[in-house]
Amino acid sequence: MRNMKIGVKLIGGFLFMALFSAIVGGIGMVNIKTIDDADIKLYEKITVPLGQIQDMTSAYLRIRVALRDMVLDPDPAKNKDYVKKTHELKEAVDKDAAEFEKTIISDEGRKHFKEFTDGWKEYKVVLEKALQLGEQDNDKALIALLRGELAKYGAIAYDALEKLADTKIKQAKLTSEGNTQLANRSRLFMGGFTALAMLIGLGIGWIITRGIKRQLGGEPTFVAELAGKVAMGDLSTIIDTADKDPNSIMVAMQKMCEAIRALVADTGILSQAAVAGKLATRADVTRHHGEFKTIVAGVNETLDSVIGPLNVAAEYVDRISKGDIPPRITDSYNGDFNEIKNNLNSCIDAVNALTTDTDNLVRAAIAGKLATRADATRHQGDFKKIVTGVNETLDAVIGPLNVAAEYVDRISKGDIPPRITDSYNGDFNEIKNNLNSCIDAVNFLVADAGMLYQAAVAGKLGTRADATKHRGDFQKIVTGVNETLDSFIGPLNVAAYYVDRISKGDIPPRITDSYNGDFNDIKNNLNSCIGAINLLITDTDTLVQAAVAGKLATRADATKHQGGFKKIVVGVNETLDSVISPLNVAAEYVDRISKGDIPPRITDSYNGDFNEIKNNLNTCIDAVNALTTDTDTLVKAAVAGKLATRADAGKHQGAYRKIVAGVNETLDSVIGPLNVAAEYVDRISKGDIPPRITDSYNGDFNEIKNNLNTCIDAVTALVTDANGLAQAAVEGKLATRADAGNHRGDFRKIVSGVNDTLDAVIGPLNVAAKYVDQIAKGIIPPTITDSYNGDFNGIKNNLNAVVKMMNELLSETDKIIKGAADGRLDQRADATLFAGGWNKLVSGVNDTITNIVNPLMVTADYVDQVARGIIPPTIT
């Protein structure tokens, strides 16, 4: 180390530290790789499997939902879809389970996975039986399986999945704790090695510094001080080189000082000889080396050339008088010759300075650097007056042009400056007035644009700029923007108004105004919506009027409707069919009985209250037949004059017994109750709901009365709820629903069906109304992602198209505004993104900006040409 050069010591120290750093870095990379492997294991063996468990759990639950829907769905044709969906979910579970098995890393996990596979295997066997029952529409057997074996094996599989999830979570926690311990060990190890590296680095630095100081021959501050003195010409310091390293800097510094002293001595000898006029004196070149030798030789040669100064002076004066400026005299002279040389050089400098400044001003003017001036302080006498006069002339001419150029440049970049208030004369004053007029016009245009923007943000879509405040093309711009806003906002207001009226149940007339592009699509969609709703209202009114008129066979034509509206009409028709058919039979039977035409017993099958009515009618038929037989017996007996003949009242029951007994006593008292029952059933069958029967009857007559009263109450409640829904729809209360809990049997199904139909119809309309209202207020809503059918899907797509177009329009507008703010006046909106009126609007705005920018660019170009001394042609 002692005899090494400084460079070798430094490189050796750095190589050692680099090697040590590489070792520390390599160990750190190994630790980082270990942590990375642990994180990958945490993700692949725990995190991903947890997602697979979630997918299997979700698929199992969706299988249960599909089986439930298979039971509840009244349409057997859909069972195949449920079976297909269930098979897909089962295959998904099998696939996830196969992938999950590869990630099991513990005995506990294998145990719970076996529990799952055992339960899932049994579950799939029973599931196939359940699907077969579902395809056969055997709901009763399917429900038994759902509550029995499927529930049992499903619970086993589901519980095993939960246990597997818990096991994975425990493993994740243990793995995370292990990763934390590994990271802590790595940090401790790296910290220790870093501290060791710092200590070793400090030791190496101390050793290298000590060696460098020795080679310097002393303290670095002494070497620096000595070098400073030598640089200032102070060679008085005596350097002690005893016991110094021959290669040290101090020995080299001593040799350098001795060489400089020799050079100074010879220079002094020559100087003294020149002063004394001993021009033959020369320095001894052999006493010097290198560049010092070259310097001494040069001085000798200079002395040899000190002749003919007067000839030189004469030549220089002659050349200056002829305009041929010679170079400065660089030769050395003494006495009067030196004074002449200096005067000549001063003259040459003055003329050269004047020539240089004039040339600089000319070049600056050609380059358009109008702020360039010559420095008059560099000149004296009349030369100074000349330069000062040229500067003042340029100031008077270029000042107004600079102001004009600056203002046009700021206007071209969208930075509108204040009006010019300085005073100018002649053509400069005219330029000032023109620029002030331009500033006023642009400020008016900017103010109106800002006002329209603020109004649009605030939703004040009726706000317009006053075009009469502008002139020329600026007036055309403002007028064009106003007309563009008129053509844009009008259709949106109409659409918002119509959707609002429809949402409130106030169906407006069809839109007859003419629109273009997307506005025409919106108009057509609204007209289609109005037509569909009016047609639905018309058919509903027809059914109501037919029911009031007792025309129970009347049905609406479902083929005239589409989508959800068609389902509503079909549902109402089918509901009427299921309700009216039994009532028609009852009315017919009661009517025939009331007319003495006793029909046969009813053998058709009915459910609920309709079956009770059937049984009552059959009982009535039996009773009336018996009564008829006895009456016929009595009539025949009466015709035969057998007045003592009586019907056997013991063969009859209840009121009929009383009837027979009454007939026996007086035939006139038998007719009343039957007539009441016939009348009530007939009125109900015709949609004319009578009041409750308040008369008192006994036996079967009282039961008939109660049944009729129950029927009257049920139909009245149904009519009341139907009227309530209709009234709520007329008033726009679209959230109103009937309480299905107030009804029983098929009447409850009717009410639930109407409620579900209203939910399916009104939901999309509310969304459409909300979106149109937000767009009308300048609020751009998000894209509708819900699924709809039929015309509702068309409305959704149209609204999403409007939202997309508004977002694109906002993006393109923002691009223009940011471009103007950044001074990029060539920025334009992409009109190809829009169609119809929107394309015209964007193209119009682009053309408007172009028409504004182009004149400013021409003006800036003209001012620039004038500033460069070029007179441009007249603008045509």
Side-chain angles (χ1 to χ4, degrees):
M1 288 287 288
R2 182 178 181 86
N3 296 322
M4 285 185 183
K5 294 183 178 180
I6 293 176
V8 175
K9 292 178 181 179
L10 290 174
I11 292 174
F14 287 133
L15 287 175
F16 179 81
M17 290 305 298
L19 178 61
F20 192 82
S21 298
I23 294 172
V24 174
I27 295 172
M29 291 176 65
V30 171
N31 288 334
I32 291 172
K33 180 64 169 61
T34 303
I35 295 174
D36 183 57
D37 292 341
D39 285 339
I40 292 174
K41 179 181 178 182
L42 178 64
Y43 173 74
E44 294 179 346
K45 298 298 184 180
I46 298 175
T47 305
V48 172
L50 282 173
Q52 293 168 342
I53 291 174
Q54 179 63 34
D55 291 341
M56 287 188 285
T57 302
S58 175
Y60 164 70
L61 295 175
R62 289 170 65 191
I63 289 173
R64 293 183 59 187
V65 171
L67 294 174
R68 182 205 65 189
D69 291 343
M70 193 182 300
V71 173
L72 297 178
D73 198 324
D75 186 1
K78 293 183 179 180
N79 287 347
K80 291 184 178 180
D81 294 335
Y82 292 124
V83 171
K84 180 181 178 183
K85 180 180 179 182
T86 302
H87 279 302
E88 291 174 351
L89 292 171
K90 182 185 69 173
E91 292 172 358
V93 173
D94 291 339
K95 181 179 178 181
D96 287 337
E99 292 297 324
F100 178 84
E101 187 177 10
K102 301 175 183 178
T103 68
I104 300 175
I105 58 177
S106 68
D107 293 337
E108 183 181 5
R110 293 185 185 89
K111 172 187 174 184
H112 294 320
F113 185 76
K114 186 176 185 306
E115 293 174 0
F116 165 74
T117 54
D118 292 344
W120 179 246
K121 181 179 179 181
E122 297 295 334
Y123 183 84
K124 288 192 291 183
V125 173
V126 181
L127 179 62
E128 289 300 326
K129 297 179 183 178
L131 294 177
Q132 291 176 3
L133 293 175
E135 288 183 320
Q136 297 168 5
D137 200 26
N138 190 345
D139 292 344
K140 185 175 181 181
L142 178 56
I143 292 172
L145 272 181
L146 284 172
R147 294 175 177 175
E149 291 182 280
L150 277 176
K152 172 185 174 182
Y153 294 119
I156 293 173
Y158 187 81
D159 291 343
L161 287 176
E162 289 186 336
K163 293 177 182 177
L164 284 172
D166 291 340
T167 301
K168 287 294 183 182
I169 291 172
K170 292 177 183 177
Q171 291 171 354
K173 183 177 180 182
L174 292 174
T175 304
S176 175
E177 291 173 351
N179 290 349
T180 301
Q181 293 174 0
L182 179 60
N184 290 336
R185 288 196 300 271
S186 299
R187 284 197 296 269
L188 182 62
F189 179 81
M190 292 299 291
F193 264 86
T194 301
L196 179 60
M198 291 174 64
L199 292 175
I200 293 174
L202 290 174
I204 292 174
W206 179 81
I207 293 172
I208 293 175
T209 301
R210 186 169 175 270
I212 291 173
K213 286 175 65 178
R214 191 180 66 81
Q215 286 190 331
L216 286 175
E219 290 294 331
T221 55
F222 176 75
V223 176
E225 180 182 354
L226 178 60
K229 288 183 177 182
V230 173
M232 298 298 293
D234 183 3
L235 304 175
S236 62
T237 303
I238 303 300
I239 303 173
D240 182 10
T241 59
D243 299 327
K244 297 294 184 182
D245 188 343
N247 296 323
S248 70
I249 294 176
M250 295 301 291
V251 173
M253 289 289 287
Q254 174 63 25
K255 292 179 181 178
M256 180 185 71
C257 289
E258 291 174 353
I260 295 174
R261 288 191 190 101
L263 181 63
V264 172
D266 281 349
T267 303
I269 292 172
L270 290 174
S271 177
Q272 292 174 5
V275 171
K278 298 177 182 179
L279 301 180
T281 302
R282 298 292 182 269
D284 184 3
V285 178
T286 60
R287 293 176 56 201
H288 305 278
H289 303 281
E291 294 296 330
F292 290 163
K293 183 176 182 178
T294 302
I295 292 172
V296 174
V299 172
N300 288 338
E301 292 172 358
T302 299
L303 291 172
D304 292 337
S305 64
V306 182
I307 57 175
L310 291 177
N311 289 335
V312 172
E315 178 191 357
Y316 270 54
V317 171
D318 181 62
R319 290 178 65 182
I320 292 172
S321 66
K322 295 176 180 178
D324 178 17
I325 312 302
R328 285 174 59 84
I329 302 171
T330 58
D331 297 335
S332 299
Y333 300 106
N334 296 314
D336 292 337
F337 292 123
N338 192 59
E339 186 175 353
I340 292 171
K341 180 196 75 172
N342 292 336
N343 291 335
L344 283 172
N345 282 340
S346 296
C347 180
I348 291 168
D349 291 341
V351 175
N352 279 331
L354 184 62
T355 303
T356 299
D357 282 349
T358 302
D359 185 64
N360 288 339
L361 290 175
V362 172
R363 292 179 182 276
I366 292 173
K369 300 177 181 178
L370 304 182
T372 302
R373 297 292 181 272
D375 184 3
T377 60
R378 297 173 53 205
H379 306 276
Q380 296 177 343
D382 290 333
F383 286 166
K384 184 174 183 179
K385 291 180 180 179
I386 291 171
V387 174
T388 301
V390 173
N391 285 341
E392 292 175 352
T393 301
L394 289 173
D395 290 338
V397 173
I398 294 168
L401 292 180
N402 281 337
V403 172
E406 177 196 356
Y407 269 54
V408 171
D409 181 64
R410 288 178 65 182
I411 292 172
S412 69
K413 295 176 179 177
D415 176 18
I416 312 303
R419 288 173 60 85
I420 303 171
T421 57
D422 297 335
S423 297
Y424 299 105
N425 298 319
D427 292 336
F428 292 127
N429 192 57
E430 185 174 351
I431 292 174
K432 180 194 79 172
N433 293 335
N434 290 337
L435 283 172
N436 283 340
S437 298
C438 178
I439 290 167
D440 293 340
V442 174
N443 279 329
F444 284 147
L445 189 64
V446 171
D448 280 349
M451 179 268 293
L452 289 175
Y453 171 74
Q454 294 294 333
V457 172
K460 300 176 181 178
L461 302 181
T463 303
R464 297 293 181 273
D466 183 3
T468 60
K469 292 166 54 183
H470 305 273
R471 293 183 298 174
D473 288 331
F474 285 170
Q475 187 178 68
K476 292 179 181 179
I477 291 171
V478 175
T479 301
V481 172
N482 285 341
E483 292 175 353
T484 300
L485 289 173
D486 291 339
S487 65
F488 169 69
I489 293 166
L492 288 183
N493 285 336
V494 171
Y497 171 70
Y498 267 58
V499 172
D500 182 64
R501 287 184 64 183
I502 291 172
S503 69
K504 295 176 180 177
D506 177 17
I507 311 303
R510 291 174 60 85
I511 303 171
T512 58
D513 295 335
S514 297
Y515 298 107
N516 296 318
D518 293 334
F519 291 126
N520 194 56
D521 291 340
I522 293 174
K523 180 193 80 172
N524 293 336
N525 291 334
L526 285 172
N527 282 341
S528 298
C529 179
I530 291 168
I533 294 175
N534 280 330
L535 184 60
L536 184 63
I537 292 173
T538 299
D539 280 351
T540 302
D541 185 63
T542 300
L543 291 175
V544 171
Q545 292 180 2
V548 171
K551 301 176 181 179
L552 303 182
T554 302
R555 297 292 181 272
D557 184 1
T559 61
K560 292 161 58 181
H561 304 272
Q562 295 179 337
F565 290 163
K566 183 175 182 179
K567 291 181 180 179
I568 292 173
V569 174
V570 171
V572 172
N573 284 342
E574 292 176 352
T575 300
L576 289 173
D577 291 339
S578 64
V579 172
I580 293 169
S581 178
L583 292 180
N584 282 335
V585 172
E588 177 192 358
Y589 269 53
V590 172
D591 182 64
R592 288 178 65 182
I593 292 171
S594 66
K595 294 176 180 178
D597 178 16
I598 310 303
R601 288 173 60 85
I602 302 171
T603 58
D604 295 334
S605 298
Y606 297 105
N607 297 317
D609 293 337
F610 293 124
N611 191 58
E612 188 174 349
I613 292 174
K614 180 194 80 172
N615 293 335
N616 291 336
L617 284 172
N618 283 339
T619 301
C620 179
I621 289 168
D622 294 339
V624 172
N625 279 329
L627 184 64
T628 300
T629 300
D630 283 348
T631 300
D632 184 65
T633 299
L634 290 174
V635 169
K636 288 180 179 179
V639 170
K642 300 176 181 180
L643 301 179
T645 302
R646 296 289 182 272
D648 183 3
K651 294 165 54 182
H652 304 277
Q653 295 178 345
Y656 285 123
R657 178 181 292 177
K658 291 183 179 180
I659 290 172
V660 173
V663 169
N664 287 337
E665 296 173 356
T666 172
L667 295 176
D668 295 335
S669 62
V670 177
I671 300 172
L674 292 178
N675 284 338
V676 170
E679 176 192 0
Y680 269 56
V681 173
D682 182 64
R683 288 178 65 183
I684 292 171
S685 69
K686 295 176 179 179
D688 178 19
I689 311 304
R692 288 174 60 85
I693 303 172
T694 58
D695 296 336
S696 298
Y697 297 103
N698 297 317
D700 291 336
F701 286 116
N702 191 58
E703 186 176 350
I704 292 173
K705 180 195 78 171
N706 292 336
N707 292 335
L708 285 171
N709 282 340
T710 300
C711 179
I712 290 167
D713 292 341
V715 176
T716 299
L718 187 63
V719 171
T720 299
D721 280 347
N723 289 335
L725 291 175
Q727 184 64 30
V730 171
E731 294 174 359
K733 300 176 181 177
L734 303 182
T736 302
R737 297 292 181 272
D739 185 0
N742 294 332
H743 305 273
R744 294 184 300 172
D746 288 334
F747 286 164
R748 176 179 290 181
K749 293 181 180 179
I750 292 171
V751 174
S752 297
V754 173
N755 284 342
D756 294 340
T757 301
L758 288 173
D759 290 339
V761 172
I762 292 166
L765 290 180
N766 284 336
V767 171
K770 174 184 175 184
Y771 267 55
V772 173
D773 181 63
Q774 285 184 318
I775 293 172
K777 293 176 180 177
I779 301 171
I780 301 177
T783 300
I784 303 172
T785 57
D786 295 334
S787 298
Y788 298 109
N789 297 318
D791 292 336
F792 290 121
N793 194 56
I795 293 174
K796 180 193 80 172
N797 293 336
N798 291 332
L799 286 171
N800 283 341
V802 173
V803 169
K804 178 183 178 184
M805 181 275 300
M806 293 296 290
N807 280 322
E808 290 177 343
L809 184 63
L810 182 63
S811 175
E812 293 301 308
T813 302
D814 186 61
K815 182 170 69 176
I816 294 176
I817 293 172
K818 288 183 177 178
D822 295 336
R824 293 185 287 110
L825 299 182
D826 60 339
Q827 192 69 49
R828 299 292 183 273
D830 187 1
T832 61
L833 297 175
F834 308 93
W838 293 108
N839 181 272
K840 293 181 180 179
L841 171 64
V842 176
S843 298
V845 172
N846 285 340
D847 294 341
T848 299
I849 295 173
T850 300
N851 291 331
I852 293 173
V853 171
N854 284 348
L856 293 178
M857 298 302 292
V858 171
T859 302
D861 181 61
Y862 267 54
V863 172
D864 181 66
Q865 291 187 55
V866 172
R868 291 189 284 112
I870 302 172
I871 306 302
T874 303
I875 301 175
T876 59

